[in-house]
Amino acid sequence: MKSTPKIVILTALSLAAGGFANAALVSQYGILDLTANGGINPNTGVAWAAGDQYRLSFHTAATFSADNPSAAFYNALVTTQAQLNSALAGSTWTALISTVTVNVKDNTGTADLTDGATVGGAGFPVYAMDGTTAIARNNADIWDNWSNPFNSNGVIRLASGSINLDSSGNSVTASQNVHYSPFLDQFGLGDTATIHGPTMWTGTRPGGLTHPTQPVGSTIGDPVGSTGTTQTGNTNANNTGRIWERGNANNVTSSFGFYALSDPLTITDSIPEPSTGLLCAIGTFFLAYRRRK
């Protein structure tokens, strides 16, 4: 009889081990669809695994001026904008901007370009807020001057005449074939289905270089003496002259949106609940043991 407690406990533990299903992988905040791209992490070339990291990116649905020279100001701004989406409560973000004192790569932690834009390059894959569209494999892929480096520049994403939703949830029709990855807003909307798309402040030249005279918060006007001007980019870029970080410049008092990049996020294992049958089995074993005492 002295061995009974051990037998009961060991049996219950054995049932418990078998009663839990294999833990499923989950993405932080639940935005990333882990079945996208065939379930493959685009920067490792193999299936997503617990501990893998990635980032999300969006453009703000709201628009603002660009007259403040502080990167910290805009980091706080895009974080506040992100958290308007209740799914992103507690998340932190940085603005994809260059100011007079801070380059965008340093501001977003994407300056390490080791091993280039191919699989295995430094940094983490970046996804749009649809949770399925890989904007970039890694840091170098963010900065190779195109809006859709991952799926190649020639892919038609939205065919002319297709119906899509803008940031207000209104239906819009693609005016012509649209290439490149979408920069959606923080709610997963905002694709205007048109070439160029919404204009965003960046203060940045191609390749992530700070614009020498038009960073965010610039006081230098064009022509000199006018209101400061800042470089902008286009969310549906269509050539190397109009890419996501560079398009045209505008007065800093104008109103445009900002791109945001999340802190690195992590894939984890979920912890499944035990089944009702498992709980009943454990209860039955312990009840039988108590009766035998």
Side-chain angles (χ1 to χ4, degrees):
M1 294 296 292
K2 291 183 180 180
S3 63
T4 303
K6 291 182 180 179
I7 294 173
V8 172
I9 292 170
L10 289 173
T11 303
L13 290 175
S14 176
L15 281 171
F20 286 93
N22 291 331
L25 296 178
V26 295
S27 62
Q28 199 167 343
Y29 302 114
I31 303 296
L32 176 62
D33 181 353
L34 292 169
T35 66
N37 190 37
I40 301 300
N41 177 336
N43 198 35
T44 64
V46 297
W48 288 101
D52 281 356
Q53 291 188 289
Y54 64 99
R55 305 180 88 161
L56 298 173
S57 188
F58 69 86
H59 69 73
T60 60
T63 60
F64 310 88
S65 63
D67 52 353
N68 192 311
S70 167
F73 172 85
Y74 297 105
N75 293 341
L77 184 152
V78 297
T79 294
T80 297
Q81 288 294 300
Q83 293 181 6
L84 293 176
N85 180 343
S86 59
L88 299 175
S91 60
T92 52
W93 302 70
T94 49
L96 282 153
I97 58 166
S98 294
T99 69
V100 174
T101 58
V102 179
N103 175 260
V104 63
K105 293 177 185 175
D106 296 322
N107 190 48
T108 55
T110 57
D112 185 356
L113 308 182
T114 304
D115 294 328
T118 58
V119 172
F124 312 112
V126 180
Y127 278 80
M129 288 298 292
D130 59 3
T132 62
T133 304
I135 294 173
R137 287 189 182 91
N138 46 45
N139 293 345
D141 212 14
I142 297 173
W143 303 116
D144 68 356
N145 297 344
W146 290 92
S147 291
N148 193 352
F150 181 65
N151 287 327
S152 83
N153 299 327
V155 172
I156 295 175
R157 182 171 59 80
L158 299 174
S160 177
S162 63
I163 307 299
N164 305 276
L165 297 180
D166 65 13
S167 58
S168 299
N170 299 317
S171 295
V172 291
T173 303
S175 59
Q176 53 189 306
N177 289 341
V178 177
H179 298 71
Y180 320 119
S181 295
F183 268 98
L184 303 175
D185 65 24
Q186 64 266 49
F187 305 105
L189 300 172
D191 192 344
T192 62
T194 57
I195 291 293
H196 303 324
T199 299
M200 300 291 143
W201 296 114
T202 67
T204 303
R205 293 189 297 173
L209 302 174
T210 301
H211 198 288
T213 60
Q214 297 170 343
V216 168
S218 172
T219 58
I220 302 174
D222 183 13
V224 174
S226 63
T227 304
T229 55
T230 286
Q231 188 64 212
T232 62
N234 298 107
T235 58
N236 275 342
N238 69 321
N239 56 56
T240 54
R242 284 179 175 269
I243 55 179
W244 74 266
E245 74 253 56
R246 181 191 179 280
N248 289 312
N250 215 297
N251 291 338
V252 294
T253 54
S254 298
S255 189
F256 298 117
F258 288 92
Y259 298 111
L261 188 66
S262 73
D263 284 351
L265 305 175
T266 304
I267 301 298
T268 59
D269 284 324
S270 64
I271 302 176
E273 295 293 329
S275 66
T276 302
L278 169 64
L279 294 175
C280 290
I282 293 175
T284 300
F285 269 105
F286 278 96
L287 181 61
Y289 162 66
R290 288 179 63 84
R291 288 174 176 172
R292 295 181 65 182
K293 289 185 65 177

